[in-house]
């Protein structure tokens, strides 16, 4: 029997002796800390709406919007259970509001986006102005803006909530407060923000009312879809994305929120896209039609067929490829503006 290697014993003793001082050797973890390429713990996942909807409706029978404050089922990445996260930086949930309900007014540091999945007639009120929701509308709740949701229509309304909750938690920078009234007072007519900022024009004397966030807090589906249809007819599509547009803050041309980019794309009938990968993990909501997403990464290769109102996530630096036999429309969001602000965004379009 050989004695333990003297250096091994020396090291083991070092680790043990310094441990109470909360000291640990870099050389044991360096490779994992500075990986040769992104090594996300996240995995690809798909939530079929037909599977999720019954649980949303049961949530509707189990708790009121008022009691829940926000009646939401969180879409948790299967590899991040318990963390309320769909990627390391992003949160996603499906929120249900029933006729006559109010989700009471509050505000927080976290930015939120809504993408309307089912039903119409609910509204989000932001800073004194209501935006009525139709399926496919993209709505913003800026950081620190008071917001409440209500529903004066006749059938359940469900929307996707996309928030930067994990990012703000990582930075330990979040503040929140509840309003003293359930519904904020309406101080501006519906459509005022759209008239001011939604027509490639802006008030001559304005300050950005929400700082770095878009002053346009509702982007109606009818307008986005019209643009995509027009481009599908009259302009060449992209071999990776089909016809894809990014939503912009009209005052800056940048992303609508400082922490999240949002996109809408149309895959023409018969589209078979080329593969790509990007550092920003992305969450998708299927607005219309059917298609297929193939995702490779982390030693796994998966394919999901998707249908309207389904949701799926493509983790960072996973290779993905979209296709659709009969055409479809997809909404998506990611943390791209943060990658870009830090100068670390990377995208690879593969042949
Ligand atoms: O509507 O304000 O899904 O604060 C999670 C946190 C929705 C909201 C969520 C929130 C909200």
């Amino acid at each position: 029997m050989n004695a333990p290697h003297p250096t091994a014993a020396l090291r083991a003793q070092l680790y043990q002796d310094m441990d109470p001082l909360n000291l640990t050797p870099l050389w044991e973890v360096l490779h994992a800390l500075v990986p040769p390429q992104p090594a996300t713990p996240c995995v690809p996942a798909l939530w079929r709406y037909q599977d999720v909807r019954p649980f949303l409706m049961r949530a509707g029978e189990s708790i009121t919007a008022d009691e829940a404050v926000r009646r939401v089922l969180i879409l948790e990445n299967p590899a991040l259970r318990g963390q309320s996260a769909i990627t390391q930086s992003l949160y996603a949930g499906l929120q249900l509001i029933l006729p006559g309900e109010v989700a009471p007014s509050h505000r927080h540091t976290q930015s939120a986006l809504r993408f309307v999945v089912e039903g119409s007639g609910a509204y989000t009120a932001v800073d004194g102005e209501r935006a009525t929701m139709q399926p496919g509308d993209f709505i913003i709740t800026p950081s620190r803006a008071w917001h409440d949701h209500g529903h004066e229509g006749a059938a359940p309304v469900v929307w996707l909530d996309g928030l930067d909750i994990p990012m703000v938690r990582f930075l330990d920078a979040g503040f929140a407060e509840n309003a003293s009234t359930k519904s904020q007072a309406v101080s501006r007519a519906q459509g005022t923000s759209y008239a001011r900022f939604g027509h490639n024009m802006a008030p001559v004397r304005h300050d950005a009312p929400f700082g770095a966030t878009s002053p346009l807090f509702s982007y109606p589906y009818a307008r986005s879809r019209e643009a995509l249809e027009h481009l599908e007819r009259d302009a060449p599509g992209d071999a990776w994305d089909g016809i894809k547009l990014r939503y912009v803050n009209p005052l800056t041309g940048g992303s609508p929120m400082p922490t999240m980019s949002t996109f809408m794309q149309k895959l023409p009938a018969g589209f078979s896209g080329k593969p790509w990968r990007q550092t920003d993990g992305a969450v998708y909501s299927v607005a219309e039609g059917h298609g297929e997403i193939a995702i490779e990464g982390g030693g796994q290769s998966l394919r999901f067929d998707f249908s309207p109102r389904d949701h799926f996530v493509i983790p960072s630096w996973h290779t993905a490829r979209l296709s659709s036999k009969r055409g479809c429309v997809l909404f998506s969001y990611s943390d791209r503006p943060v990658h870009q602000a830090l100068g670390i965004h990377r995208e690879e379009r593969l042949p």
Side-chain angles (χ1 to χ4, degrees):
M1 285 281 287
N2 287 332
H5 194 272
T7 36
L10 212 59
R11 284 177 198 171
Q13 195 61 52
L14 169 65
Y15 301 171
Q16 193 186 322
D17 292 348
M18 69 185 174
D19 184 70
L21 274 72
N22 304 305
L23 294 170
T24 192
L26 170 65
W27 57 88
E28 296 287 348
V29 293
L30 181 58
H31 191 73
L33 278 187
V34 189
Q37 58 176 39
T40 180
C42 300
V43 294
L46 170 83
W47 290 261
R48 289 186 203 288
Y49 196 62
Q50 63 173 42
D51 296 338
V52 174
R53 192 179 188 281
F55 294 108
L56 273 169
M57 296 306 138
R58 276 172 63 181
E61 291 160 8
S62 308
I63 192 164
T64 63
D66 189 41
E67 198 187 342
V69 182
R70 297 293 182 264
R71 190 206 284 117
V72 178
L73 299 185
I74 302 171
L75 307 182
E76 278 194 327
N77 193 288
L80 302 176
R81 294 306 310 273
Q83 296 185 39
S84 304
I86 191 159
T87 70
Q88 295 262 72
S89 61
L90 296 173
Y91 161 102
L94 289 170
Q95 179 158 178
L96 168 71
I97 191 153
L98 294 169
E101 287 191 321
V102 170
S105 193
H106 71 182
R107 63 177 185 165
H108 38 70
T109 306
Q110 293 81 357
S111 294
L113 67 86
R114 330 280 170 193
F115 184 71
V116 183
V117 167
E118 174 185 338
S120 54
Y123 65 82
T124 281
V126 172
D127 197 36
E129 184 180 333
R130 287 183 178 179
T132 301
M133 297 173 159
Q134 306 290 336
D137 289 356
F138 159 51
I139 287 161
I140 291 174
T141 310
S143 175
R144 291 186 293 275
W146 292 108
H147 55 285
D148 46 83
H149 315 297
H151 190 7
E152 291 163 355
V157 168
V158 176
W159 64 79
L160 169 68
D161 279 326
L163 288 92
D164 53 11
I165 287 173
M167 214 183 298
V168 173
R169 178 170 60 197
F170 171 75
L171 297 168
D172 285 333
F175 297 85
E177 61 185 309
N178 292 318
S180 52
T181 52
K182 249 196 221 180
S183 297
Q184 59 184 283
V186 172
S187 59
R188 282 196 308 270
Q190 277 216 36
T192 305
S193 303
Y194 204 84
R196 284 205 176 108
F197 300 104
H199 300 278
N200 299 315
M201 303 178 90
V204 177
R205 288 177 197 83
H206 73 266
D207 47 358
F210 301 115
T213 300
S214 173
L216 196 57
F217 62 88
S218 173
Y219 296 72
Y221 186 49
R223 296 290 301 272
S224 317
R225 200 184 188 295
E226 185 189 355
L228 294 174
E229 269 188 357
H230 193 113
L231 292 171
E232 182 179 358
R233 241 184 357 254
D234 296 334
D238 179 83
W240 288 266
D241 296 332
I243 299 101
K244 186 171 185 176
L245 295 174
R246 62 183 175 93
Y247 291 88
V248 297
N249 174 342
L251 296 179
T252 63
S255 62
M257 287 154 286
T259 49
M260 293 183 282
S261 293
T262 49
F263 306 88
M264 187 166 274
Q265 74 196 102
K266 194 164 191 301
L267 306 183
F271 183 77
S272 178
K274 294 185 176 180
W276 84 96
R277 56 184 176 173
Q278 59 190 41
T279 50
D280 48 325
V283 181
Y284 286 72
S285 180
V286 183
E288 283 184 61
H290 301 260
E292 193 183 80
I293 176 86
I295 308 175
E296 267 178 58
Q300 262 199 333
S301 180
L302 284 166
R303 297 168 93 81
F304 302 126
D305 287 315
F306 57 76
S307 299
R309 302 169 175 168
D310 289 352
H311 294 84
F312 60 88
V313 57
I314 307 176
S316 166
W317 215 240
H318 280 51
T319 301
R321 195 157 45 77
L322 281 164
S323 54
S324 177
K325 285 198 181 77
R326 290 204 269 154
C328 62
V329 180
L330 305 174
F331 171 84
S332 60
Y333 68 99
S334 82
D335 56 355
R336 186 173 301 188
V338 178
H339 294 236
Q340 291 175 326
L342 301 178
I344 59 172
H345 187 253
R346 243 206 235 195
E347 183 185 30
E348 234 174 49
R349 308 187 107 199
L350 305 161

